[in-house]
Amino acid sequence: MTNRAKLLAGGLAALVLGLAGTAGAQDGAGGAENLLPGEQEAGTPDEPDAPDASDTPEPGARFEEAFPRMISDPVVQGDLDPPGPLVAQWSLSQAEKLVAFIEGIAVEGLDPADYDLQALRTALASGPSEELDALASKNFVWLVEDLRDGRTPMEARKQWFVIDPDRDRYRTGDLLEKALESGDIAGTLTSLNPSYPDYARLRDALAATPAEEVEKRKLIRANMDRWRWLPRDLGKLYLITNVPEYQLRLTVGGKPLKTYRTIVGKPGRTATPQLAEMVEGVVFNPTWTVPQSIVKGEGLGQRVLNNPSWARSKGYKATRGANGYISVVQQPGPTNSLGRVKLEMPNRHAIFFHDTPSRHLFARDRRALSHGCIRTERALELGMTLAILGKGASRDEAVAISTSGEYTKVMIEREIPAYITYFTYGTNVEGEMTQFEDIYDRDAPVLASLDKPRVDDRPGAIDDEVIVIENDPRDEG
């Protein structure tokens, strides 16, 4: 190892160790042992408004057990909410509380007109009846669906492939039963609100925005609803990136531990989709297998074979098969298009986070430049941090592997959730409420759905096209 490499490794190691220590301190458990989703005790102060202690994962549960349907494949929303009868008997007091909740639902960015207020009031005035039971039960179910799953129908969620586990975790029939047994109609429903702090900030922003600022209020409401498309509780340790903000956050306990600038997909078919995946490992000193659209379509394969000295300078190695097929792999090194690290995050979209040798591009304000994958500032720091927090390598091992120059895949024991989101209004990395550019024009269908009557019996299937990214991480700036 050169002296320069030793200095770099030492600085990175100190930073990573500090990050790991901070994570452990925030968790209060002396390390990274209890950072992942499903590892906090039910009813702890981290989640005071959980719908039911029995719904929270057991301490020590693996993420897959806690949130078994978060991952973006398959793309059918969980339909385990039992189809049994969802009509219960309501007292007048309970129905009055439901009416009051609907009258105030605008604070959550929903529209009271979506629910049968007048019919409920008329039924209430007539006293207890089967009609009141049916109306109150139906509207309670609608409120659960909108608060838990989001009001926006699937067809308006462009390139959104996150499977939200909340329908399975917080089942409508159980919530109805709990609300009527406790008499706390409002508390049961508001407990479904997303726990991420930005949702509460958006709600406050909505309350502070005058009624005459119609477009701004609609934008805030649309982004409040986007939070409902995600799991209510994202976990304790996770990555979350907001594509239009060009930022990635390493988050512990709902607070950003570290932020990184990103470069995301160009608009069009290379736009970065919205996903929830698991980081299973870290690849240090990666290779890049060049797609055939470049090898054959752009003539790279023949150029590598015809110009060995140029190929060596770029790190390319070509192999020609007996049938004439040429494959090209770029070896680890300073010119590798994936940089020094990539995160192992298997998914059918072929999207992942990786480094880049073209780090000057992070200085740009608009960074929608890639073929879909997310290039990440200081990716080596991030990779080492995740390898250590995920218990795939010790600090010294991470330093040695990262500076070896050799391809090494480090699988982590504790897989880490990664959320790729799309918010056009929210809190920026400086903590300020900001409107972000709608770089992929994904606002329009969501905003239009807010102007239309509520859709009943909404399908849970995600029918948008899955665009498999043929990654080209070369400098496009």
Side-chain angles (χ1 to χ4, degrees):
M1 188 187 300
T2 65
N3 288 335
R4 181 180 180 185
K6 288 179 180 178
L7 287 172
L8 174 62
L12 281 171
L15 176 58
V16 170
L17 187 61
L19 288 174
T22 303
Q26 289 199 26
D27 184 60
E33 289 297 330
N34 294 312
L35 292 176
L36 296 180
E39 293 192 352
Q40 67 185 55
E41 298 277 350
T44 61
D46 287 334
E47 194 173 23
D49 55 350
D52 188 357
S54 63
D55 288 329
T56 59
E58 288 295 323
R62 284 181 54 79
F63 185 86
E64 303 93 285
E65 297 166 353
F67 295 152
R69 304 188 67 89
M70 180 197 80
I71 307 306
S72 305
D73 184 18
V75 291
V76 177
Q77 187 73 33
D79 286 323
L80 299 185
D81 215 10
L86 290 174
V87 177
Q89 187 174 7
W90 289 71
S91 69
L92 293 181
S93 173
Q94 291 165 339
E96 287 169 354
K97 292 177 181 178
L98 180 65
V99 167
F101 185 82
I102 294 172
E103 289 172 339
I105 196 62
V107 301
E108 303 295 346
L110 298 176
D111 187 351
D114 283 337
Y115 312 98
D116 297 323
L117 262 179
Q118 188 54 53
L120 275 169
R121 291 182 181 126
T122 300
L124 260 174
S126 300
S129 66
E130 290 183 0
E131 180 186 9
L132 177 61
D133 294 341
L135 273 171
S137 297
K138 180 185 74 170
N139 282 277
F140 183 90
V141 169
W142 283 358
L143 287 163
V144 168
E145 291 175 352
D146 292 348
L147 291 167
R148 180 192 62 197
D149 309 326
R151 183 190 181 278
T152 308
M154 289 292 179
E155 61 268 20
R157 307 182 188 189
K158 300 305 180 185
Q159 285 295 292
W160 179 83
F161 297 97
V162 179
I163 303 302
D164 183 356
D166 291 342
R167 184 181 296 187
D168 300 336
R169 296 189 68 214
Y170 309 124
R171 304 191 182 202
T172 306
D174 295 341
L175 292 167
L176 176 58
E177 182 180 13
K178 176 185 175 182
L180 295 179
E181 284 182 355
S182 66
D184 189 4
I185 309 300
T188 302
L189 290 168
T190 56
S191 71
L192 295 170
N193 287 341
S195 62
Y196 194 83
D198 221 41
Y199 178 83
R201 292 202 64 182
L202 284 166
R203 184 174 53 199
D204 293 343
L206 182 65
T209 303
E212 57 267 23
E213 295 186 34
V214 176
E215 296 306 313
K216 182 178 178 181
R217 289 181 62 85
K218 284 178 61 178
L219 185 63
I220 295 172
R221 291 175 60 205
N223 284 279
M224 289 176 71
D225 206 50
R226 282 180 166 128
W227 279 111
R228 299 185 188 107
W229 307 354
L230 292 166
R232 175 189 174 274
D233 180 6
L234 302 183
K236 285 189 175 182
L237 169 66
Y238 54 89
L239 296 172
I240 186 167
T241 182
N242 182 23
V243 170
E245 187 187 9
Y246 309 114
Q247 292 283 351
L248 171 68
R249 294 165 171 83
L250 173 60
T251 304
V252 175
K255 297 180 180 179
L257 187 64
K258 203 71 176 174
T259 62
Y260 305 87
R261 294 184 182 187
T262 61
I263 295 169
V264 302
K266 294 181 294 185
R269 290 187 64 82
T270 57
T272 302
Q274 297 147 92
L275 308 174
E277 303 295 344
M278 299 299 291
V279 176
E280 298 180 358
V282 182
V283 178
F284 294 98
N285 308 305
T287 58
W288 175 44
T289 300
V290 184
Q292 283 300 302
S293 62
I294 300 171
V295 174
K296 185 176 181 180
E298 298 183 15
L300 178 66
Q302 201 60 54
R303 184 181 182 189
V304 170
L305 291 172
N306 293 342
N307 194 338
S309 61
W310 175 85
R312 281 194 299 272
S313 71
K314 298 295 184 181
Y316 291 125
K317 284 188 178 181
T319 304
R320 187 196 295 273
N323 60 356
Y325 179 90
I326 301 173
S327 63
V328 176
V329 177
Q330 191 177 34
Q331 303 303 304
T335 61
N336 186 280
S337 297
L338 296 179
R340 299 181 64 185
V341 68
K342 76 169 188 175
L343 301 188
E344 188 75 1
M345 195 174 80
N347 62 87
R348 65 203 205 120
H349 307 264
I351 295 292
F352 55 88
F353 299 86
H354 67 86
D355 189 16
T356 175
S358 304
R359 298 184 180 96
H360 63 283
L361 296 176
F362 290 114
R364 294 189 178 186
D365 291 332
R366 295 183 176 182
R367 298 190 293 276
L369 304 169
S370 81
H371 272 65
C373 285
I374 301 175
R375 306 178 198 176
T376 305
E377 180 188 35
R378 305 190 321 280
L380 183 58
E381 170 195 308
L382 176 64
M384 292 178 68
T385 302
L386 297 187
I388 294 171
L389 292 180
K391 296 188 176 296
S394 67
R395 180 194 65 172
D396 292 340
E397 288 170 341
V399 170
I401 291 169
S402 64
T403 57
S404 68
E406 298 179 359
Y407 174 96
T408 308
K409 182 186 292 187
V410 175
M411 304 306 290
I412 58 179
E413 291 183 13
R414 296 180 178 274
E415 297 178 355
I416 297 171
Y419 303 93
I420 300 175
T421 67
Y422 193 93
F423 291 95
T424 53
Y425 201 89
T427 308
N428 65 21
V429 292
E430 283 78 35
E432 302 166 340
M433 293 299 292
T434 305
Q435 182 174 344
F436 305 110
E437 182 183 3
D438 181 16
I439 57 176
Y440 298 156
D441 297 324
R442 290 180 181 165
D443 273 348
V446 182
L447 293 170
S449 73
L450 294 176
D451 290 333
K452 298 175 183 177
R454 182 189 186 277
V455 177
D456 300 334
D457 299 320
R458 292 168 292 189
I462 301 169
D463 59 1
D464 209 349
E465 179 187 6
V466 175
I467 301 173
V468 179
I469 299 297
E470 192 172 66
N471 186 40
D472 180 359
R474 296 173 299 174
D475 186 354
E476 297 169 36

